[in-house]
Amino acid sequence: MRKLIPDLICASVFDIDFGDLKKRKISGLLVDIDNTLVPWGEPEMEEAFIHWVRKAQKEGFAICLVSNAKRPRAQSFADLLGIPAVGLALKPLGRAFRKGMALLNLKPHEVAVVGDQLFTDVFGGNRLGIYTILINPISRNELDSTKMMRKLERRMLERMVRRGDISPQLAQIRQGSDYDE
Ligand SMILES: [Mg+2]
């Protein structure tokens, strides 16, 4: 249960405070692709997300994409952005996150995981002691299995609030989104 608790919840990647991450001595980001940077299954990344990656780089962050999507899909966005990617990541397994950190030459306490799923991105990152940032999925289009997990995610978040593991304000960012309506 504790390994499911995100360190931070943001409405989207645009709400991530780079200054706060720097204060935490974080200089690398392991970023999910589907429903974090690109609507699930879509072939194109919107301009705003490309700009966000550029902005993060300008702020001094090294970025690696870590995605459960097939390798060609992950690589197409890596090529677009000129950054490394680990595809077919099998998150929450740690292997892909470890590979991502190796590609960036950074250690667990120097990176943050950014993703839209509690049971893959957050759980996987927490297991390795990485700072985890949960963002709201940018599309409601996703696998049926993921849709089922969303219900479980919501229940887990409610429990975290009851137990005082996350603040109601943070949980509200998630509950205020329309992903589970
Ligand atoms: Mg995702």
Side-chain angles (χ1 to χ4, degrees), residues 32-36 40 91 115-117 120-121 150:
D32 174 51
I33 295 176
D34 282 294
N35 271 350
T36 294
W40 181 80
K91 293 178 281 186
D116 67 295
Q117 288 197 52
T120 56
D121 304 303
R150 295 298 184 196

Side-chain angles (χ1 to χ4, degrees), residues 13-14 16 18 29 31 37 48-56:
V13 291
F14 307 116
I16 295 172
F18 292 133
L29 304 174
V31 186
L37 293 177
F49 291 90
I50 298 173
H51 282 155
W52 178 80
V53 170
R54 298 282 173 254
K55 191 172 166 224

Side-chain angles (χ1 to χ4, degrees), residues 104-119:
L104 301 181
N105 202 18
L106 293 172
K107 298 194 168 60
H109 64 273
E110 297 170 315
V111 299
V113 164
V114 181
D116 67 295
Q117 288 197 52
L118 209 54
F119 296 101

Side-chain angles (χ1 to χ4, degrees), residues 39-176:
W40 181 80
E42 293 289 328
E44 307 274 352
M45 184 177 294
E46 275 180 41
E47 200 70 28
F49 291 90
I50 298 173
H51 282 155
W52 178 80
V53 170
R54 298 282 173 254
K55 191 172 166 224
Q57 287 176 313
K58 234 177 266 169
E59 294 274 349
F61 292 92
I63 304 177
C64 180
L65 302 174
V66 179
S67 170
N68 280 356
K70 289 184 181 143
R71 288 200 181 95
R73 176 168 172 78
Q75 196 55 49
S76 73
F77 293 112
D79 292 343
L80 170 79
L81 298 164
I83 59 176
V86 185
L88 213 64
L90 304 177
K91 293 178 281 186
L93 294 186
R95 197 187 48 163
F97 291 121
R98 275 192 220 102
K99 198 167 164 194
M101 287 188 283
L103 286 167
L104 301 181
N105 202 18
L106 293 172
K107 298 194 168 60
H109 64 273
E110 297 170 315
V111 299
V113 164
V114 181
D116 67 295
Q117 288 197 52
L118 209 54
F119 296 101
T120 56
D121 304 303
V122 173
F123 184 58
N126 281 346
R127 284 173 70 197
L128 297 176
I130 299 173
Y131 187 79
T132 50
I133 303 173
L134 180 70
I135 55 104
N136 291 332
I138 57 178
S139 159
R140 290 164 73 171
N141 201 6
E142 46 197 1
L143 291 173
D144 285 339
S145 58
T146 309
K147 284 181 183 161
M148 282 172 57
M149 294 310 261
R150 295 298 184 196
K151 289 183 186 145
L152 210 52
E153 279 186 353
R154 191 175 42 194
R155 232 176 289 155
M156 295 307 285
L157 285 165
E158 283 165 1
R159 205 155 104 192
M160 288 174 202
V161 172
R162 276 201 306 274
R163 292 161 55 116
D165 293 327
I166 56 173
S167 71
Q169 288 84 347
L170 271 192
Q172 189 55 45
I173 293 170
R174 188 70 166 183
Q175 282 148 359

